[in-house]
Amino acid sequence: MVFVSSAFFVSCNSCSNRSSEARLHVSGTLDAPLGPEQAPAWLAGALDGPGRFHEYEIMADTVHAISVEAVAEVDTASTGGYGVVVVKGSTSTTFPDLRHSRQPKACYDAESDVLLFACSAMEGTGVQVERLYVIRFDEGGKAHIAGSADPYDIQQEICQRLGYSIEGDMGGFDSENPLWVGEQISYDLDGEVPLLLVTPGVNFTTGLVLTYDDMPTFKSPLAIDSAGKVTLGDLTPVE
């Protein structure tokens, strides 16, 4: 259980001591799946052509000869935040529809031969929504997207796991839907186990945007199966 304010207790299915009847589920800000990303029509052809790429490094694993580069420009034309190149050994694979805005991140697990790539799916003031891609390789080092985690699907699962209870008066919170998730969904790929990070926001009766001041962040370890499906582990508060 995580104490938030004089009115709120936020809890998850793996850390709550209260009965399920006392827990109210949070609401989701995303109304539908975001669907696949799609780069500008000209970009795919340009990346397959003789144009000069202007790239910057996202990740480099020199031990396993894996690198990930963002294509910022083709010749002098901006890619608008689209275009990622994955290199394994001497084999290069270009993904025009992968985004590289808002500080993308990547990590490679040599044991499973899986590259995880997290990039921005939605951007805006107070909004950090990332999508996770699972990238695998064939015997020649060619990369392909084996699976991805749509932020909407992640949100819906979190809505079932994360709840809250209210003690005392509402203290200015919206009486019908005071707690929401969906605007703060990101990934931490720096540790031994990749983590999903989710922060709920509070809806006040006097505000038009969610507030995240003093709100807890929850983490969940990720498991990736052979088909590229992403499964969430226990949801616990970040200490």
Side-chain angles (χ1 to χ4, degrees):
M1 185 183 301
V2 179
F3 180 76
V4 178
S5 72
S6 59
F8 271 119
F9 285 89
V10 183
S11 59
C12 47
N13 60 359
S14 57
C15 63
S16 175
N17 294 321
R18 298 187 172 222
S19 66
S20 59
E21 290 79 6
R23 295 173 65 243
L24 303 172
H25 286 299
V26 302
S27 302
T29 63
L30 302 176
D31 294 329
L34 299 186
E37 296 282 1
Q38 188 169 4
W42 68 271
L43 182 58
L47 292 177
D48 288 335
R52 180 183 177 89
F53 291 7
H54 300 270
E55 302 168 291
Y56 65 86
E57 183 179 279
I58 297 174
M59 186 211 79
D61 182 340
T62 56
V63 173
H64 301 104
I66 297 280
S67 65
V68 181
E69 304 282 337
V71 183
E73 292 181 342
V74 179
D75 293 327
T76 59
S78 170
T79 63
Y82 287 90
V84 170
V85 178
V86 176
V87 180
K88 183 177 185 183
S90 59
T91 302
S92 176
T93 309
T94 302
F95 295 98
D97 294 328
L98 291 192
R99 300 181 70 188
H100 55 76
S101 55
R102 286 282 184 105
Q103 298 181 322
K105 61 204 76 166
C107 71
Y108 175 69
D109 180 67
E111 183 176 350
S112 60
D113 196 26
V114 167
L115 175 72
L116 296 182
F117 180 77
C119 60
S120 178
M122 292 179 61
E123 301 172 5
T125 303
V127 176
Q128 183 183 9
V129 179
E130 296 180 348
R131 184 195 304 267
L132 184 72
Y133 290 93
V134 180
I135 298 175
R136 292 187 176 273
F137 302 88
D138 63 19
E139 293 182 357
K142 189 71 172 177
H144 67 276
I145 296 175
S148 67
D150 191 296
Y152 176 79
D153 295 331
I154 296 297
Q155 170 193 274
Q156 294 304 94
E157 184 161 352
I158 295 300
C159 283
Q160 295 303 311
R161 296 188 182 203
L162 197 64
Y164 65 94
S165 60
I166 300 171
E167 295 192 353
D169 59 56
M170 289 298 292
F173 302 125
D174 181 82
S175 60
E176 295 184 359
N177 299 108
L179 211 62
W180 296 72
V181 294
E183 287 187 349
Q184 297 285 329
I185 298 174
S186 61
Y187 294 90
D188 180 356
L189 305 183
D190 292 333
E192 293 184 2
V193 177
L195 298 174
L196 167 74
L197 301 176
V198 176
T199 305
V202 175
N203 184 27
F204 288 91
T205 57
T206 57
L208 298 177
V209 296
L210 298 181
T211 300
Y212 293 91
D213 296 342
D214 302 320
M215 293 299 291
T217 296
F218 294 86
K219 64 182 178 180
S220 171
L222 305 178
I224 315 294
D225 68 13
S226 58
K229 181 181 179 181
V230 179
T231 303
L232 302 185
D234 288 341
L235 194 67
T236 57
V238 174
E239 298 178 358

